[in-house]
Amino acid sequence: MPELPEVETIARDVRPHLAHARILKARVFKPDILRKVTKPAFERGVSGRRVVAVGRRAKHIVIELDDGRRVIIQPRMTGALLVGGTEDARGARDPYDALHLELDSGTVIRYRDVRRLGAVFLLKPKQWAAYTAAIGPEPLEPGFTPQRLHEILAGGALAVKKAIMDQRRLAGVGNIYANEALWMAGIDPSRPARGIALDEAVRLHAAIVAVLARSIDRRGTTVRDYRTGTGEPGGYQGRLAVYERAGEPCLRCGRRIVMTHAIDARSSYFCPGCQH
DNA sequence: ACGAGGTCCTGCGAGC
DNA sequence: TGCTCGCAGGACCTCG
């Protein structure tokens, strides 16, 4: 479940291979991952193009091409963007590979997605402008301040956890880091967003920034499927305070961590002793 | 305008 | 052993 730190790690791993390379050929094996573009149009549009830049926006990998178009990859649940490793010992292609980008260096960048909930777009500049404009601020950029977070939460009747996971309000935070940040800030995830006071928003802002930055430092969290761009698990899973720790003692107050599906039918983990 | 709930997809583990 | 079933959940969709 790649969230911001995982996608940032993937982009950093893939960038040295992909940036400034020419994509000799794009091959789509699972056309249902493509959104708003057909397989022939995607393969024709990408093959032969040079990559200008490789970046990240929210939980999406952004590959900018020399004609101004961008390939957007949303790994969602089980997607992975990997450098090489396209064939096993017997020379067989991975059955879960959805897309290959064959580079002039000989390296192949592959998008692998077991459940194919991921999505791949090929966007023209105007389409990209609309796409990125619909997503909230990047939490690790200077524009994301405690005041901005307080404004994001203001007026929302929805749970604060759901609000910070809403990509239109804030970019890149998913279920794992929402749980972790709310624990760090000592805030009950089920509280209405509009009830979060400014001093609490200050704590939550610091918690969001800290947990994302620390996870990037450790190359992301592997609970199940996530792999870095080099195919390895991340290193933050051992640092999780609440996620998948139901029944275990809170690291701050010792009470048992509770799990509920009460918020948006997703697993919420929190400490009833020190999150209010 | 906003929020609730359904849908997509497949591997895995629990339970019988 | 082999089967069914529920679950994982981000983003998009429809409905009220």
Side-chain angles (χ1 to χ4, degrees), chain A residues 12-240:
Chain A
R12 289 181 185 183
D13 285 351
V14 168
R15 185 177 296 125
H17 300 272
L18 193 50
H20 313 302
R22 187 172 297 281
I23 299 169
L24 296 181
K25 193 152 185 56
R27 291 182 196 273
V28 176
F29 305 112
K30 313 281 184 182
D32 59 353
I33 59 155
L34 296 176
R35 300 297 145 86
K36 295 169 183 167
V37 61
T38 64
K39 169 176 157 157
F42 183 90
E43 291 182 337
R44 231 184 305 114
V46 174
S47 298
R49 298 258 68 97
R50 190 168 287 280
V51 174
V52 173
V54 177
R56 176 194 60 76
R57 171 76 170 115
K59 306 171 191 174
H60 317 148
I61 295 144
V62 182
I63 301 167
E64 187 180 346
L65 306 177
D66 59 356
D67 65 349
R69 295 210 271 185
R70 286 168 175 82
V71 175
I72 312 297
I73 300 179
Q74 299 185 1
R76 297 211 192 148
M77 284 296 290
T78 55
L81 194 65
L82 299 159
V83 178
T86 48
E87 290 184 353
D88 65 16
R90 294 176 311 189
R93 193 178 73 233
D94 188 315
Y96 299 113
D97 279 5
L99 167 69
H100 283 184
L101 301 177
E102 301 175 6
L103 308 182
D104 54 355
S105 61
T107 298
V108 177
I109 304 293
R110 63 186 177 117
Y111 178 63
R112 178 181 193 268
D113 194 341
V114 171
R115 281 163 60 188
R116 298 197 311 284
L117 290 176
V120 176
F121 298 81
L122 176 61
L123 301 182
K124 299 183 181 107
K126 272 194 159 177
Q127 293 174 306
W128 163 248
Y131 186 96
T132 190
I135 304 172
E138 285 289 330
L140 297 182
E141 287 183 7
F144 181 60
T145 60
Q147 184 60 43
R148 184 81 190 270
L149 177 61
H150 195 236
E151 289 162 11
I152 285 167
L153 300 176
L158 73 175
V160 57
K161 173 164 176 265
K162 197 174 179 213
I164 61 173
M165 289 172 65
D166 181 348
Q167 298 302 294
R168 293 165 298 183
R169 296 171 192 260
L170 181 63
V173 175
N175 199 39
I176 294 175
Y177 299 109
N179 280 305
E180 294 296 310
L182 286 159
W183 177 83
M184 277 190 195
I187 295 171
D188 182 332
S190 66
R191 282 178 53 196
R194 63 181 169 212
I196 302 300
L198 184 56
D199 67 311
E200 293 175 311
V202 169
R203 296 207 310 268
L204 183 54
H205 171 270
I208 290 169
V209 171
V211 73
L212 295 176
R214 286 176 200 167
S215 182
I216 290 173
D217 286 345
R218 299 200 168 260
R219 297 174 51 76
T221 301
T222 298
V223 175
R224 290 178 192 83
D225 302 284
Y226 163 67
R227 292 295 180 276
T228 68
T230 50
E232 298 141 351
Y236 195 75
Q237 53 277 7
R239 309 256 160 171
L240 297 173

